[in-house]
Amino acid sequence: MAAEGLGFHEMGLEERLLQAISKLNWAQPTLIQEKAIPLALEGKDLLARARTGSGKTAAYAIPIIEHLLNTKKSTCEQAVRALVLVPTKELGQQVQQMIRQLTSYCAWDVRVADVSGQADISAQRPILMEKPDIVIGTPSRILLHLEQHTLSLCTSLEMLVIDEADLVFSFGFENDLKNLLGHLPKIYQAFLMSATFNEDVQALKELVLHNPVILKLQESRLPDSSQLTQYHINCEEEEKFLLTYTLFKLSLVRGKTIVFVNSIGRCYRLKLFLEQFSIFSCVLNSELPVHSRCHIIGQFNRGIYNYIIATDEHDLTDAASTDMVKKEKKHGKGVKAKDYEYGVSRGIDFQNVSTVINFDFPLTVDSYIHRVGRTARVDNQGTALTFVSLTELPLLHQVEEALTGENMDCALKPYRFHIEEIEGFRYRCKDAMRSVTKQAIKEARLKEIKQELLNSEKLKTYFEDNPRDFQLLRHDKPLHPAIVKPHMKNVPDYLIPPTLRRIANPLISMKKRWRRNDLQSSTQNRNKTYKKQNPLKHFSHTKKRRTKSAK
């Protein structure tokens, strides 16, 4: 077994790999990295469970890169030696980015290719013809390449990874994965990385692993209260919108925030509601093209957006969408399928998220854990706030029981907020909610899909040749099918509760100071101008000196 307290330098890693780790400012390995990397370097199969944000990607990427660098020393033949299977395209891009960061000092020796996107097979063929050392993709896309002979693994593959293994079957990849395994050699080293051990993971274990070491780390699935603060507040539908408006408009919630809802329609309803008050946000769901989704996540991580409204994997069973599909089938119309290889609450590395708001309560305990796991990652602090309606109380009790069973210091606290103090905002919120009709939501949904389809093509072609223009494409532009009233943008001082005036939006007092200074300076300038224009104010007489000749 691995020794206790091993650092990266004690693991016998190649110097260039250590340089890349140092460049990423990783002082010490996380618990999963400390346990998994030495075992993987010994050639053992691994079944590892660790919570979201614990460093699972690097735990398998580092051994793969180390193995490839050692193999290159003894052979010059170029071949695909490592395959990483992911359940979502967003996760595929994230894994590729992580591997590229870890190979920044040996990029010529270790090549990586991500084929999980929606590009045409023929467009990906030239990439695979170069035989990259590591190929990343979803099971369905990899199987397609294997069947069309654009990828061959039967003789060269040495390492296989299935990341977020508990999602692979639930995302409908069971048959694809079983068919894919028939194209692989009989002997290879395999890793299964997962946040939970369920029946699907046990089935994968039997299919893929050979006498594995099982790492079931003794840690709760969420950080304790010293790092993650979890609150819940009881409120009904109208109050959810009122609270969200107050938290954002008065800057009671600061930093990057993800708001989770349970359906795509709810995404656009909340976005249009916030637009009434000039609070702009991005929508992230399975209807948007994969290039747009990855671009939104990348720009959010760079701090271009503060608010994302997202659905998780449960939106794939959205009842409204199901009804729409039934109606389309009844009338004999074609139906555009959603992207089922999608998941926001799982696997995606949202960086430096300060707050997660569960606008709609998640439908399962696992979904709650994965949503809240978007914040308080690595050593960062985070806050989770969950809105709970009367009908959602049973779900809250399930979550509390699960968390209390894992860690007594990981329970949800009641959020002490006096709703009566913000009653002055209620009429504004009601006015805004009346403007967000079903027709407005439908129009907004169609408008954004059309915009993002165009943006996706630009991202795929134009921005590859013009990287400087990449920043110009924004995803939080107003959709404006709903009526927007200009006066809703500003918050009168008399509406702000006295108890919140000191902490609510420090910019308000600063704006007042600027306004007062501007008023004083403008008054002074106006007085000077008035004096210059009025001859009685600026007239001055100077007495002439008499000369001797005048005498």
Side-chain angles (χ1 to χ4, degrees), residues 133-253:
D133 300 283
I134 306 171
V135 172
I136 305 161
T138 59
S140 59
R141 179 50 60 108
I142 296 297
L143 179 62
L144 194 57
H145 279 292
L146 290 170
E147 290 175 343
Q148 296 199 7
H149 306 291
T150 52
L151 176 66
S152 177
L153 301 171
C154 58
T155 57
S156 64
L157 187 74
E158 298 172 3
M159 306 182 86
L160 170 68
V161 178
I162 302 180
D163 201 355
E164 298 291 350
D166 50 339
L167 284 186
V168 170
F169 279 6
S170 63
F171 273 48
F173 292 127
E174 181 176 1
N175 292 331
D176 290 337
L177 185 61
K178 289 178 178 177
N179 292 332
L180 186 155
L181 293 175
H183 294 267
L184 304 185
K186 292 183 178 180
I187 300 175
Y188 51 82
Q189 185 180 6
F191 310 139
L192 291 188
M193 315 301 287
S194 178
T196 58
F197 282 170
N198 55 23
E199 294 180 1
D200 292 340
V201 175
Q202 294 300 323
L204 275 175
K205 174 189 168 186
E206 302 297 327
L207 284 171
V208 175
L209 300 179
H210 309 280
N211 193 24
V213 175
I214 299 175
L215 292 178
K216 189 176 181 180
L217 303 182
Q218 297 300 316
E219 59 176 0
S220 62
R221 290 190 282 173
L222 289 175
D224 59 31
S225 59
S226 63
Q227 184 179 357
L228 172 64
T229 308
Q230 300 177 74
Y231 295 107
H232 72 88
I233 182 168
N234 296 332
C235 55
E236 295 306 316
E237 178 72 0
E238 184 179 300
E239 291 171 340
K240 288 183 179 184
F241 287 90
L242 174 60
L243 272 170
T244 305
Y245 160 74
T246 306
L247 293 172
F248 288 169
K249 198 64 181 178
L250 300 185
S251 294
L252 303 180
V253 170

Side-chain angles (χ1 to χ4, degrees), residues 48-74:
R49 189 194 84 173
R51 70 171 181 238
T52 300
S54 60
K56 294 194 297 292
T57 305
Y60 65 75
I62 289 174
I64 288 175
I65 296 166
E66 178 69 18
H67 173 78
L68 292 172
L69 291 174
N70 290 330
T71 302
K72 297 274 184 172
K73 294 176 183 177
S74 58

Side-chain angles (χ1 to χ4, degrees), residues 415-429:
Y415 188 61
R416 305 296 182 186
F417 193 95
H418 300 288
I419 198 77
E420 62 273 7
E421 291 189 351
I422 58 173
E423 282 297 320
F425 296 128
R426 190 179 290 272
Y427 79 95
R428 288 180 158 227
C429 292

Side-chain angles (χ1 to χ4, degrees), residues 71-72 74-81 109 131 133 155-156 158:
T71 302
K72 297 274 184 172
S74 58
T75 180
C76 297
E77 183 185 359
Q78 186 64 34
V80 179
R81 291 186 169 86
D109 290 331
K131 296 182 179 179
D133 300 283
T155 57
S156 64
E158 298 172 3

Side-chain angles (χ1 to χ4, degrees), residues 282-312:
C282 300
V283 164
L284 198 58
N285 62 63
S286 61
E287 285 187 334
L288 302 179
V290 63
H291 296 289
S292 293
R293 297 199 304 259
C294 294
H295 190 230
I296 291 169
I297 294 166
Q299 289 193 327
F300 180 75
N301 287 340
R302 289 193 292 273
I304 295 175
Y305 312 122
N306 282 331
Y307 308 125
I308 279 184
I309 303 171
T311 56
D312 55 15

Side-chain angles (χ1 to χ4, degrees), residues 442-458:
K442 182 179 178 181
E443 290 176 8
R445 200 163 162 177
L446 291 171
K447 181 179 178 182
E448 179 150 71
I449 291 172
K450 289 177 182 177
Q451 285 179 351
E452 293 299 339
L453 284 171
L454 293 173
N455 291 345
S456 180
E457 292 302 313
K458 292 177 184 176

Side-chain angles (χ1 to χ4, degrees), residues 322-366:
T322 305
D323 292 341
M324 190 183 297
V325 169
K326 289 179 180 177
K327 288 178 182 178
E328 295 288 348
K329 286 183 177 179
K330 184 178 178 181
H331 294 290
K333 298 178 182 178
V335 181
K336 184 183 182 298
K338 291 183 193 175
D339 185 357
Y340 286 86
E341 299 172 8
Y342 163 83
V344 167
S345 72
R346 291 293 305 274
I348 306 304
D349 187 16
F350 291 101
Q351 297 171 7
N352 302 318
V353 176
S354 62
T355 308
V356 167
I357 296 177
N358 285 314
F359 189 88
D360 294 328
F361 204 94
L363 302 181
T364 64
V365 174
D366 282 345

